């Protein structure tokens, strides 16, 4: 993992939003508090519901599909078939019994991907804060909401990293304040303003490959892979339309 505050070019900053869908739908579960050293209290099975299911869904959201698909794991606290399929993919990737049941072994692996401050094993908060202020203030949402969205992005990026053969991912741009976004010419409703986007470099891996793997990670916003970085975001989690600029479906 490499933390970077280096400037990125204006082209990098311009992407991050497109058409607004039917409106911003900020669900209550979208901004639940950051879990730290999460204490799983039960084995989770399809049909269960609750806040622990919500946390499970956040952590396996990057395992939404096997191939390019407009699929995402709903963060709704309801353990349905989509959540079970994502759990199975996660389990298979980490050498666990792929039964779709989140028991002690699966929960231990999920917790192994979490740092004590609530960030993840291969990503940290400094990679996602506004590059001008060094914090999560001044965006389209409260700092706490932005930070939670960044955390959710981290878990999807953990899945992407695994699918790329554990190749280190550099986050060049995460959250941006409204002021900083305007300074660098970013789109007026960029997903970076909500903390749900990241611009990535993966040294040694073709951007097209990064894009194609990201198509399986539940990212609903993907910039074309012919530029000098890969933009990913989760705009559908905010009630927006999907946007895959170079999509294969």
């Amino acid at each position: 993992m490499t933390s970077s505050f280096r400037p990125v070019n204006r082209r990098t900053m311009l992407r991050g939003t497109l058409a607004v869908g039917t409106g911003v739908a900020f669900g209550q579960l979208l901004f639940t508090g950051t879990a730290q050293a999460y204490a799983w209290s039960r084995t989770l099975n399809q049909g269960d519901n609750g806040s622990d299911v919500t946390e499970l869904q956040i952590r396996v959201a990057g395992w939404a599909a096997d191939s390019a698909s407009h699929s995402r794991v709903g963060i709704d606290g309801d353990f349905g078939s989509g959540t079970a399929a994502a759990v199975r993919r996660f389990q298979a990737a980490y050498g666990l019994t792929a039964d779709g049941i989140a028991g002690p072994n699966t929960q231990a692996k999920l917790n192994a991907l979490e740092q004590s401050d609530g960030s993840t094993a291969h990503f940290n908060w400094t990679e996602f804060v506004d590059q001008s202020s060094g914090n999560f203030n001044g965006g389209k949402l409260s700092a706490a909401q932005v930070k939670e969205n960044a955390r959710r992005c981290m878990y999807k990026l953990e899945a992407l990293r695994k699918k790329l053969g554990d190749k280190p991912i550099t986050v060049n741009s995460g959250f941006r304040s409204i002021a900083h976004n305007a300074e660098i010419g970013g789109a007026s409703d960029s997903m970076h303003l909500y903390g749900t986007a990241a611009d990535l470099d993966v040294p040694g891996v073709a951007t097209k490959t990064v894009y194609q793997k990201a198509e399986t990670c539940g990212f609903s916003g993907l910039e074309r892979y012919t530029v000098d970085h890969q933009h990913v975001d989760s705009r559908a989690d905010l009630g927006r339309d999907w946007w895959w600029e170079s999509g294969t479906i």
Side-chain angles (χ1 to χ4, degrees):
M1 174 181 63
T2 302
S3 178
S4 174
F5 274 66
R6 65 180 174 82
V8 289
N9 62 42
R10 185 173 185 275
R11 184 178 187 84
T12 299
M13 296 298 187
L14 287 174
R15 294 297 173 184
T17 189
L18 201 65
V20 175
T22 56
V24 181
F26 298 140
Q28 179 182 359
L29 292 176
L30 184 60
F31 306 123
T32 54
T34 299
Q36 297 185 24
Y38 195 82
W40 308 95
S41 60
R42 58 175 175 162
T43 292
L44 296 174
N45 296 271
Q46 188 168 340
D48 288 338
N49 56 74
S51 60
D52 49 0
V53 175
T54 299
E55 186 62 28
L56 174 67
Q57 291 168 328
I58 290 168
R59 297 187 183 211
V60 301
W63 299 93
D66 291 312
S67 58
S69 173
H70 283 186
S71 298
R72 54 185 285 272
V73 176
I75 312 299
D76 58 8
D78 185 2
F79 196 141
S81 59
T83 301
V87 170
R88 286 193 295 270
R89 295 184 190 102
F90 173 87
Q91 291 168 326
Y94 285 94
L96 302 171
T97 301
D99 56 9
I101 299 170
N105 290 338
T106 297
Q107 292 166 2
K109 182 58 67 174
L110 290 168
N111 278 351
L113 291 174
E114 180 187 26
Q115 295 192 61
S116 61
D117 65 355
S119 61
T120 65
H122 300 103
F123 301 92
N124 61 60
W125 299 121
T126 61
E127 296 176 283
F128 286 85
V129 294
D130 177 61
Q131 293 181 353
S132 178
S133 66
N135 57 45
F136 291 109
N137 297 320
K140 293 276 187 139
L141 304 171
S142 71
Q145 292 170 331
V146 166
K147 188 174 183 180
E148 173 62 10
N149 284 348
R151 184 178 78 97
R152 296 180 183 208
C153 184
M154 288 181 188
Y155 277 105
K156 288 185 177 180
L157 292 178
E158 288 287 353
L160 178 60
R161 188 183 193 277
K162 188 70 172 177
K163 294 174 187 182
L164 291 171
D166 293 312
K167 296 290 186 180
I169 295 175
T170 299
V171 177
N172 296 326
S173 179
F175 165 68
R176 301 180 205 146
S177 67
I178 294 171
H180 180 60
N181 188 63
E183 288 174 359
I184 50 80
S188 62
D189 198 38
S190 168
M191 291 296 103
H192 290 278
L193 298 170
Y194 300 88
T196 190
D199 292 342
L200 315 173
D201 283 330
V202 187
V205 179
T207 307
K208 183 175 182 179
T209 300
V210 178
Y211 187 106
Q212 290 172 329
K213 292 298 183 182
E215 288 179 311
T216 73
C217 294
F219 287 114
S220 44
L222 295 172
E223 183 183 17
R224 65 194 183 280
Y225 48 72
T226 54
V227 293
D228 59 358
H229 67 285
Q230 182 60 60
H231 170 95
V232 299
D233 68 58
S234 298
R235 62 189 60 208
D237 290 356
L238 303 182
R240 311 301 176 89
D241 292 334
W242 286 67
W243 174 64
W244 285 4
E245 194 174 15
S246 300
T248 57
I249 64 171

